[in-house]
Amino acid sequence: TLQRLVLRLLVEKAMPLDEILIVTFTRAATGELKERLRAILTEALAVLEPDGSGGFAPAGKSSGEPADSSLLQLYEKWRGEDGIGFGRARGRIAAALENFDEAAVYTIHSFCQKMLQSFAFSGGTAFETTLDEDPSITARVIEDFKRSRLAGEALKGSPQAQQELIGFDGAELLRQ
């Protein structure tokens, strides 16, 4: 779905690839999405090349072989009189492939890291700021939270509530 949305943004909205942000959860998903995105752009470029018989064929297929039907519908939509036209569509896709290394495909973590670095000066943070997943920091924060609540007025005089807070597993809550 994401790769088709990107294709449509490139062609139908004339949005350059470097202005589209794509965020995934894992590094593996990011790598796979980049591969799929490059593949769909390459196929679209090949399909939009007239094959000389009036039809349009995906890379490696004859014009008689059907490609993905939803993609063929897009190509037909772009070819129609009210459509963008294959020339423009090809130009936009070719530009995206040419600048593919500038595609903004990140994990949530890497995107946040990039934003921290990009806006370090205006945000008042160090330029070398990094995001780490350090369990000792998490444990310290949970203990500080518990201590501050135990010292507060709300739990004074309620030994049962204090015991519940002491037994509270904040780390499990954060994992969930």
Side-chain angles (χ1 to χ4, degrees):
T1 300
L2 281 176
Q3 64 194 23
R4 290 188 185 151
L5 286 171
V6 170
L7 179 63
R8 291 187 66 201
L9 285 171
L10 289 168
V11 175
E12 296 173 13
K13 302 294 182 189
M15 187 176 289
L17 186 59
D18 63 349
E19 290 184 14
I20 301 171
L21 173 63
I22 306 164
V23 180
T24 65
F25 291 102
T26 65
R27 289 184 190 126
T30 299
E32 183 181 346
L33 185 56
K34 282 183 180 179
E35 288 176 18
R36 286 181 177 206
L37 185 56
R38 184 184 300 270
I40 198 171
L41 293 175
T42 303
E43 179 179 327
L45 193 62
V47 169
L48 296 175
E49 182 67 46
D51 66 359
S53 66
F56 295 85
K61 296 184 180 182
S62 70
S63 60
E65 288 184 68
D68 182 337
S69 62
S70 63
L71 286 176
L72 287 177
Q73 289 172 351
L74 275 180
Y75 304 146
E76 288 302 317
K77 176 181 168 186
W78 297 340
R79 183 171 85 172
E81 288 181 23
D82 297 335
I84 293 152
F86 276 179
R88 277 198 207 135
R90 277 188 56 78
R92 292 171 184 172
I93 294 168
L97 280 169
E98 194 172 299
N99 299 314
F100 193 79
D101 58 329
E102 296 175 15
V105 183
Y106 299 107
T107 62
I108 295 169
H109 184 270
S110 64
F111 174 70
C112 292
Q113 181 72 41
K114 181 172 176 53
M115 290 300 100
L116 284 173
Q117 290 172 344
S118 296
F119 297 100
F121 184 73
S122 62
T125 60
F127 286 100
E128 298 85 30
T129 300
T130 59
L131 297 177
D132 291 325
E133 296 175 22
D134 186 345
S136 66
I137 293 174
T138 304
R140 234 179 322 158
V141 168
I142 291 168
E143 289 306 312
D144 288 346
F145 170 78
K146 287 180 180 183
R147 240 182 251 108
S148 69
R149 295 293 180 242
L150 286 171
E153 292 295 318
L155 296 180
K156 285 195 177 173
S158 177
Q160 182 182 359
Q162 290 175 348
Q163 287 302 315
E164 285 178 11
L165 180 62
I166 290 170
F168 173 70
D169 187 0
E172 178 60 28
L173 180 65
L174 290 173
R175 278 189 294 277
Q176 291 175 2

